[in-house]
Amino acid sequence: MWKSKKIWLVLDSQGFGGIESHVEQLMLGLLSTRNYVNVVFLKSYGEHPLQRRLLFSNLNCTILDGRITSLWRALKKDKPDIIHTHGYKAGIIVRPIARFMAISCASTFHSGEKKDGRIQLYDWFDRYTAFLAHHVYAVNTSILSTLPCKATLADNFIDTHALSQSHGQQIAFVGRLNKEKAPERFINLAKYFPCLDLHLYGDGPMRKQLEKKAPDNIVFHGVQREMHNIWPKIGLLILPSRAEGLPMVCLEAMARGIPVITFNVGALNKLIFHEQNGWIFTEGDLESMTSAIQTWRESDPAQKAKWSNAAILTIKQHYSTEKVMPKLLENYATFAK
C-alpha cells in the first residue's frame, strides 16, 4: 500500500508547453493521493505562467538561482523522498546529485524530435546519463526506443474533474511555432478556406516568417497566459506536427470535447480513433486534413456532439488522473525508499 511521500518535481523552464502542462497535472495528481509535492524551478527567467498559477492556488513552488550550491542546500533542508526530473537540464544536473545524496530519483523524457546545434549535445548527454536515475519514463514508444537504458512507458494524463465541455466554433492551432509543430501547414490550410478565420495560439521562432506568408484569414493571438478562457472558444483543434510524443494539447482539447485532426506521428494513433473521436492521417497529407475540416464544418450538431462525447470518453477512460495515477504510484513504490 502506498504511503505518502515528499516529492520534488524539478524542471528548468522559460515558458509554458507540454512539459510544464505535464508537471502541473502530475502535481495535482500526486496531491490528490495525499503526497507533499513541491515544483522546483532550477532558475528564474522572470515571471513564469506555471509559477504564477501554483502560487495563486497556494501550492508549493520553489525558484532557485541556477547555482548547484543552492540546489544542494535546498535538498539538504527539505529532504525529499523522491525527485522527479523533467527536461534535459534538470535531468543532467539533478540525477548525479540525487545519487550522491542517496535520494530516489526518476526522470521523464518528453521529447523525441531531432535536435540541432548545442541542444543536440545536451540531449545526447541527457539520454546517456539517464541510467543515473532509479527509474526512467518516456511518454511514448518512439521516445522509449531511443533511450539507451531501461525505461517505462508513462502516458500523459489530465485531471478532468473541473473541465467544462466546449461549444466553441473556432478552428485552431495551439502550440509553439517551430519546425516540429509545422505551423506553416496550418497557414497553408487557411488558403483553402478564404472566407473562414483560422486561429493560431502560440509563439516561437517561426512567427515572423509565418506572419509574412499568412493569408488575411489567419488570426495570430500569440502566447496565452491562461488557456482556460480560450478552450471554450475552440471547436476543432488542428495538429499538423512533423514529430510529437503524446501531446498534452490534445488531451487538454479532447477532455473538453474538442475533436482533433492530426497526423500519425508519435503516440497519436493510441489517442485518436479515425472518424470516431477525431481524424488521423499519414504525415504530411494536407489534402485529407482539408477534407476532414470540411466534413466537420458541414456536419449537423448531433454528429458534432458524437465526436465531442467520444473525445471526452477517450480521455476519461484512458488518460485521466484516476486511470494513470495508481499505476504511477505503484511504479514509484518499486524504487522509492
Side-chain angles (χ1 to χ4, degrees), residues 120-137:
Q120 185 178 20
L121 177 61
Y122 292 152
D123 181 67
W124 182 92
F125 197 59
D126 184 27
R127 290 170 188 274
Y128 281 88
T129 58
F131 72 91
L132 291 172
H134 294 88
H135 203 93
V136 177
Y137 301 95

Side-chain angles (χ1 to χ4, degrees), residues 171-190:
I171 298 172
F173 171 101
V174 178
R176 184 160 169 75
L177 307 185
N178 61 14
K179 181 180 178 181
E180 288 73 28
K181 300 296 183 183
E184 78 282 358
R185 291 172 170 173
F186 187 70
I187 299 295
N188 290 333
L189 287 171

Side-chain angles (χ1 to χ4, degrees), residues 140-296:
N140 68 46
T141 53
S142 297
I143 297 172
L144 194 66
S145 66
T146 68
L147 296 174
C149 62
K150 184 179 178 181
T152 301
L153 188 65
D155 287 328
N156 279 329
F157 60 94
I158 184 170
D159 184 352
T160 60
H161 283 114
L163 302 184
S164 299
Q165 188 168 349
S166 170
H167 297 285
Q169 294 300 311
Q170 287 185 3
I171 298 172
F173 171 101
V174 178
R176 184 160 169 75
L177 307 185
N178 61 14
K179 181 180 178 181
E180 288 73 28
K181 300 296 183 183
E184 78 282 358
R185 291 172 170 173
F186 187 70
I187 299 295
N188 290 333
L189 287 171
K191 298 174 182 177
Y192 292 95
F193 304 97
C195 297
L196 178 69
D197 285 342
L198 270 66
H199 299 262
L200 192 153
Y201 296 94
D203 206 344
M206 293 179 65
R207 178 163 180 173
K208 287 185 178 179
Q209 69 183 80
L210 292 173
E211 288 178 328
K212 290 178 181 177
K213 297 179 180 179
D216 293 338
N217 61 325
I218 286 282
V219 183
F220 287 85
H221 295 276
V223 173
Q224 302 300 302
R225 284 178 171 264
E226 298 288 348
M227 279 298 294
H228 299 297
N229 297 325
I230 303 300
W231 286 120
K233 302 176 183 179
I234 297 174
L236 183 67
L237 181 70
I238 311 298
L239 193 76
S241 304
R242 292 184 173 86
E244 281 293 351
L246 183 65
M248 285 296 300
V249 69
C250 285
L251 304 188
E252 293 270 8
M254 292 174 67
R256 294 170 170 84
I258 301 168
V260 178
I261 301 178
T262 189
F263 294 138
N264 190 1
V265 294
L268 282 163
N269 59 1
K270 290 175 55 184
L271 181 65
I272 308 296
F273 301 102
H274 189 62
E275 296 182 346
Q276 297 178 41
N277 62 7
W279 295 262
I280 186 166
F281 301 106
T282 302
E283 197 265 315
D285 187 357
L286 285 180
E287 185 177 348
S288 293
M289 190 170 271
T290 303
S291 297
I293 292 173
Q294 192 63 31
T295 297
W296 181 82

Side-chain angles (χ1 to χ4, degrees), residues 165 276 296 298-310:
Q165 188 168 349
Q276 297 178 41
W296 181 82
E298 294 174 352
S299 296
D300 59 36
Q303 178 58 63
K304 286 184 176 180
K306 288 182 181 179
W307 290 321
S308 179
N309 291 333

